[in-house]
Amino acid sequence: MRSFQEHLGELDRRGIRVLAISVDSADINAAHANKMHYTFPLLSDANAATIRRYNVLHPGAGPHKEDIARPAEFLIDKGGIVRWRNLTENLAVRARPDEVLAAFDAAIDGTTSSP
Amino acid sequence: MKMSILHDVDLPPRDRIVKRRWNWMLWTGFVCVLVGIFSYQFFIRFPVTRDFPWVNLLLLAFGAVLLALGLVRAFGQPQNYRGKIFGSIFAALGLLGIAFFCYLTFVVLKQVPASASAPSIGNKAPEFTLPDQNGHSVSLVDLLATQNTRAAVLIFYRGHW
């Protein structure tokens, strides 16, 4: 997520908005955003309802065996359609901004803008 | 006559034994193992090395070979090389470190559900409205509808504890 903050300008210029979602409370998210200088929204899905609807739940994986999200990234176009997704098989390996930018350029940029 | 020559060769005086040499293989091998473990966070930043930690594994393998050779030297030529005791400790710690690294990278970090039914390309993304860190509600539909917005990237993460 730090790398997304670093590339926020580049993402923003293309009209790509970043939303991060976890089961953490808004208070934890506020503290974390403050500490890490994140300026994009950290959304609190405390009961994991949205995480469940995206089928990216990792049952019992929290520090107290609570259900949390598994790392996953989705690129959604203006019409609300998934255009790219990344479901990592290694907790230490997450999507990088350049992958999202490349996916945007390939799947969205050429198809929605007129010459 | 013959006997006495053999006798001379067999028993060099103790004061002719040179000071035992530094067993660099043990030290270098141990350092290689440490670097191999702690550089994981560094090499994971690069696309070539992040999906499979081959640089780390090479360092660990190289370190293990050096430790083994160093131990062979320490035990095989104890009159020439140091390291029977600290070499054994280094080798044991190195093996533990390698086992820990492999357990972490090949077992712990791979414990991710497959999530086969997550929305795939072409699917409608489920709508949501959730509070952000400032207490404001953020809705996916509303965000996508704002001017200049062409896409949204959702990052699901495990959270902080």
Side-chain angles (χ1 to χ4, degrees), chain A residues 2-58:
Chain A
R2 198 181 314 162
S3 57
F4 278 89
Q5 180 65 45
E6 286 162 6
H7 289 80
L8 211 56
E10 206 176 340
L11 292 157
D12 202 55
R13 270 195 296 282
R14 297 187 208 202
I16 308 172
R17 310 284 170 240
V18 176
L19 295 176
I21 303 171
S22 77
V23 295
D24 284 348
S25 70
D27 287 346
I28 291 179
N29 286 340
H32 190 66
N34 190 38
K35 181 179 152 206
M36 303 297 291
H37 306 293
Y38 291 154
T39 54
F40 53 83
L42 302 184
L43 304 181
S44 170
D45 186 22
N47 55 12
T50 299
I51 291 164
R52 263 174 249 271
R53 281 170 64 203
Y54 276 80
N55 281 300
V56 290
L57 191 75
H58 194 164

Side-chain angles (χ1 to χ4, degrees), chain B residues 74-134:
Chain B
F75 280 91
Q77 305 161 255
Q79 70 279 24
N80 290 333
Y81 289 102
R82 303 159 66 92
K84 266 182 10 182
I85 294 170
F86 78 79
S88 306
I89 297 171
F90 274 13
L93 288 176
L95 269 185
L96 267 179
I98 292 171
F100 174 72
F101 180 86
C102 291
Y103 175 69
L104 214 61
T105 50
F106 296 112
V107 180
V108 175
L109 290 176
K110 293 289 170 83
Q111 283 175 351
V112 193
S115 308
S117 46
S120 51
I121 293 164
N123 288 163
K124 184 90 182 158
E127 164 59 8
F128 56 82
T129 304
L130 294 169
D132 71 7
Q133 64 267 41
N134 303 313

Side-chain angles (χ1 to χ4, degrees), chain B:
Chain B
M1 180 76 172
K2 205 177 176 184
M3 281 287 284
S4 76
I5 289 170
L6 270 178
H7 194 79
D8 279 352
V9 172
D10 273 357
L11 291 171
R14 275 197 74 81
D15 59 11
R16 268 174 51 198
I17 295 176
V18 288
K19 191 170 176 293
R20 289 181 306 160
R21 274 179 283 173
W22 186 55
N23 200 339
W24 64 271
M25 284 182 170
L26 289 171
W27 290 91
T28 315
F30 191 62
V31 169
C32 273
V33 170
L34 289 183
V35 173
I37 293 171
F38 291 105
S39 61
Y40 184 74
Q41 281 302 322
F42 173 74
F43 285 114
I44 204 148
R45 298 168 183 212
F46 306 101
V48 210
T49 46
R50 67 180 201 143
D51 291 339
F52 186 77
W54 58 273
V55 175
N56 304 87
L57 292 175
L58 270 181
L59 278 168
L60 294 179
F62 189 61
V65 168
L66 281 179
L67 279 171
L69 291 176
L71 269 191
V72 167
R73 225 156 61 158
F75 280 91
Q77 305 161 255
Q79 70 279 24
N80 290 333
Y81 289 102
R82 303 159 66 92
K84 266 182 10 182
I85 294 170
F86 78 79
S88 306
I89 297 171
F90 274 13
L93 288 176
L95 269 185
L96 267 179
I98 292 171
F100 174 72
F101 180 86
C102 291
Y103 175 69
L104 214 61
T105 50
F106 296 112
V107 180
V108 175
L109 290 176
K110 293 289 170 83
Q111 283 175 351
V112 193
S115 308
S117 46
S120 51
I121 293 164
N123 288 163
K124 184 90 182 158
E127 164 59 8
F128 56 82
T129 304
L130 294 169
D132 71 7
Q133 64 267 41
N134 303 313
H136 304 304
S137 277
V138 175
S139 136
L140 180 63
V141 165
D142 292 349
L143 177 75
L144 290 171
T146 54
Q147 220 186 354
N148 299 328
T149 295
R150 298 186 61 200
V153 54
L154 310 183
I155 303 173
F156 288 91
Y157 66 104
R158 290 162 60 82
H160 299 90
W161 53 74

